[in-house]
Amino acid sequence: MDQFDLLVVGSGPAGRRGAIQAAKLGKKVLVIEQGKRVGGVSVHTGTIPSKTLRETALNLSGWRERGFYGRAYRVKQEISAEDLRRRLLITLDHEVEVLEHQFARNRVQHIRGKASFVDPQTMQVVKDDGEVVTVSAASILLAVGTKPFRPDYMPFDNKTVLDSDELLEIAELPRSMVVIGAGVIGIEYATIFSALDTQVTLIDPKSTMLDFIDKEIVEDFIYQLRDRNMKLLLGQKAEKVIRQNGKVELTLDNGRRLMTDMVLFAAGRMGATDTLNLPAAGLEADARGRLSVNPETFATKVPHIFAAGDVVGFPSLASTSMEQGRIAARVAVGAIAKEPPKYFPYGIYAVPEISTCGLTEEEVKERHIPYECGIARFRETSRGHIMGLDTGLLKMIFSLKTRRLLGVHIVGEGATELVHIGQAVLNLKGTVEYFVENTFNYPTLAEAYKIAGLDAWNRMGDISRRFERL
């Protein structure tokens, strides 16, 4: 039986970052991955594929140029599923090559197979050929990620009724699609296919969506979706889904019936912990297969077993998963791990993008913080004119008492890139004066920060001086 300092189960963002961190500290590390290639869900069915699909769809459809040339403009008149898949495969091959090179360069060992606990410090790995290998380690990091939630009442057939993993393998683009689930995954895919001129209907039992995002941003986002004829059936539930004659019929709880070419079920994901034999390690998962951890160290209730990434729940981002894996690995091998900065960006790669960092206006109100907002619309920037943008919004929230930035919220082209300026100012405790006094490249969309900063500063002047006298 081989002995390691750290055993990592899963090679997604948390697993690979944790493994490489431990290896750089001189530890002997083994990564176990049950997929055909390293990379985990993030590389093969999640983050990278969906974002590659999005970029391909926007490029081939000419979406970004329609502000100039009209809604009928297309770069490629007939876009096929194969067009989307071709770029996807090139991207995935590159991602895997980079990861394998990182493992080799840092002397991280990895094997393929399904891992399960024998006891709290020992795991057995069943390889594809049936060979069973037993390994043990001083510490174990579980970074197994999640898999789509597939309820029994949904008639999945990998053709007309699919989950988000199966969607990447479709043979042809549907003319119409119903997406069940207005969470991040459902919204991303719904808007991507809408950009490809598929008629999309989004259904969710909740009457609201993206409740963790600033309400004003969500309202602007919803307006843009409805403006391009996406149907949003919020507060409605699909009670019956029946496949018939190559189509799918849905019956909603209010009696409404819908007929569509394809249904994407994207209402949640489950932690991929069911095959780990957790009881043998003294662990148990919740009803959604997730593990509870200490939020500072990512240790489970068994001190030498750690968990990081989507398997521990919110925020379930590749970016935060990487940082969780790094912190968990450092704690696991006895190194000092600093707590990450308070504010991190949240990105939703829909069409249009949404990104946010810090407090929402609703959270500021709940805390009874006197505040002011600054707003900039992308059409107010010269770069926005050059790009043909008639939508896009950047919002910043400032404390009237301290003048510090409390939150930045963006919807529109490049939101997930632009947010990092606000993130830096937030974590460095910057004030509205930063945006007013600093120079931004011209023309850029980042100039929206200057516009929003001036908007807030003009409103704050007299009020903030009253606080200074106090």
Side-chain angles (χ1 to χ4, degrees):
M1 180 171 63
D2 290 331
Q3 177 73 36
F4 294 87
D5 296 309
L6 180 65
L7 181 61
V8 180
V9 184
S11 61
R16 70 173 182 252
R17 184 62 63 91
I20 292 170
Q21 172 66 95
K24 286 186 180 296
L25 293 170
K27 304 302 179 181
K28 185 179 180 183
V29 182
L30 174 68
V31 175
I32 305 170
E33 172 56 59
Q34 70 173 4
K36 292 181 180 179
R37 304 173 78 185
V38 294
V41 169
S42 173
V43 168
H44 297 288
T45 59
T47 304
I48 301 302
S50 63
K51 282 50 176 179
T52 303
L53 178 67
R54 178 185 185 277
E55 193 65 22
T56 308
L58 294 183
N59 287 345
L60 294 181
S61 69
W63 178 267
R64 293 188 175 100
E65 308 302 320
R66 291 183 182 179
F68 279 117
Y69 305 121
R71 296 191 180 190
Y73 176 76
R74 295 171 78 92
V75 172
K76 191 174 190 294
Q77 290 301 314
E78 297 295 331
I79 302 172
S80 68
E82 183 57 33
D83 291 327
L84 303 179
R85 191 176 297 109
R86 189 178 300 117
R87 180 165 175 169
L88 177 62
L89 293 175
I90 293 171
T91 304
L92 298 191
D93 284 344
H94 177 71
E95 286 286 321
V96 171
E97 286 174 7
V98 169
L99 181 52
E100 289 178 339
H101 177 62
Q102 286 178 334
F103 280 174
R105 189 175 70 240
N106 290 285
R107 299 182 182 179
V108 173
Q109 299 180 50
H110 63 95
I111 60 173
R112 277 183 55 200
K114 288 189 176 182
S116 60
F117 282 101
V118 176
D119 59 51
Q121 288 189 295
T122 309
M123 302 192 82
Q124 69 172 17
V125 183
V126 181
K127 296 184 176 181
D128 291 346
D129 60 5
E131 180 186 359
V132 178
V133 178
T134 303
V135 293
S136 65
S139 298
I140 296 172
L141 172 58
L142 301 177
V144 293
T146 58
K147 57 186 178 181
F149 174 52
R150 291 172 60 97
D152 295 336
Y153 62 82
M154 192 60 53
F156 294 101
D157 65 353
N158 198 23
K159 185 176 181 182
T160 57
V161 182
L162 312 95
D163 63 34
S164 57
D165 286 0
E166 296 169 332
L167 187 65
L168 298 168
E169 301 295 330
I170 58 174
E172 60 184 54
L173 298 181
R175 298 186 64 176
S176 60
M177 171 187 280
V178 169
V179 178
I180 299 175
V184 173
I185 295 172
I187 285 171
E188 286 185 348
Y189 279 123
T191 57
I192 290 168
F193 276 85
S194 173
L196 290 167
D197 295 323
T198 295
Q199 177 57 60
V200 177
T201 301
L202 184 64
I203 299 173
D204 197 281
K206 290 178 61 180
S207 59
T208 58
M209 64 161 72
L210 303 176
D211 293 334
F212 60 95
I213 300 293
D214 188 275
K215 188 176 180 180
E216 188 172 4
I217 297 297
V218 175
E219 288 173 351
D220 188 278
F221 179 70
I222 289 175
Y223 173 82
Q224 292 189 50
L225 300 190
R226 287 188 166 138
D227 185 56
R228 69 191 206 225
N229 204 31
M230 265 187 65
K231 289 184 172 61
L232 305 180
L233 304 183
L234 303 179
Q236 301 180 45
K237 182 180 180 181
E239 288 196 332
K240 186 183 294 184
V241 180
I242 300 173
R243 302 191 310 267
Q244 55 180 15
N245 301 322
K247 298 273 190 176
V248 186
E249 184 182 56
L250 298 93
T251 303
L252 307 187
D253 55 1
N254 60 5
R256 184 173 182 175
R257 291 190 177 185
L258 305 172
M259 189 69 74
T260 185
D261 291 339
M262 183 177 291
V263 171
L264 168 63
F265 185 85
R269 294 180 68 87
M270 300 277 292
T273 54
D274 54 325
T275 61
L276 291 177
N277 190 25
L278 293 175
L283 294 173
E284 59 182 358
D286 66 12
R288 283 276 185 165
R290 294 170 298 203
L291 296 169
S292 296
V293 294
N294 179 317
E296 295 180 0
T297 65
F298 299 97
T300 65
K301 67 179 183 180
V302 180
H304 70 278
I305 300 179
F306 298 77
D310 288 9
V311 75
V312 304
F314 187 85
S316 297
L317 299 168
S319 55
T320 53
S321 295
M322 289 181 188
E323 191 61 15
Q324 290 172 3
R326 188 187 70 82
I327 292 171
R330 290 186 67 87
V331 175
V333 301
I336 296 174
K338 292 183 179 179
E339 187 176 349
K342 183 178 181 181
Y343 297 113
F344 60 86
Y346 203 112
I348 300 174
Y349 291 82
V351 182
E353 291 180 0
I354 297 175
S355 200
T356 180
C357 189
L359 301 179
T360 65
E361 187 171 354
E362 292 69 42
E363 290 171 329
V364 172
K365 289 177 180 177
E366 289 172 4
R367 300 183 186 194
H368 303 289
I369 300 172
Y371 73 96
E372 187 54 83
C373 295
I375 299 287
R377 300 188 182 276
F378 288 0
R379 63 173 176 263
E380 297 178 83
T381 69
S382 296
R383 184 59 180 269
H385 296 158
I386 292 168
M387 296 171 67
L389 299 179
D390 57 7
T391 59
L393 170 71
L394 185 149
K395 173 181 180 179
M396 290 191 289
I397 305 170
F398 297 94
S399 164
L400 283 175
K401 189 171 184 178
T402 65
R403 304 179 74 84
R404 280 174 50 185
L405 178 64
L406 302 176
V408 55
H409 312 283
I410 313 172
V411 56
E413 183 70 25
T416 55
E417 297 284 354
L418 288 169
V419 75
H420 297 110
I421 297 172
Q423 176 196 4
V425 176
L426 265 169
N427 284 318
L428 293 172
K429 301 180 180 180
T431 66
V432 65
E433 279 74 21
Y434 173 86
F435 302 100
V436 173
E437 295 167 1
N438 273 276
T439 301
F440 291 81
N441 270 337
Y442 175 89
T444 61
L445 291 180
E447 190 191 356
Y449 276 104
K450 168 78 84 172
I451 296 168
L454 284 166
D455 183 40
W457 187 82
N458 289 332
R459 299 172 191 271
M460 292 168 70
D462 292 340
I463 300 173
S464 60
R465 280 194 284 273
R466 285 206 300 270
F467 276 105
E468 288 172 6
R469 288 196 296 270
L470 297 174

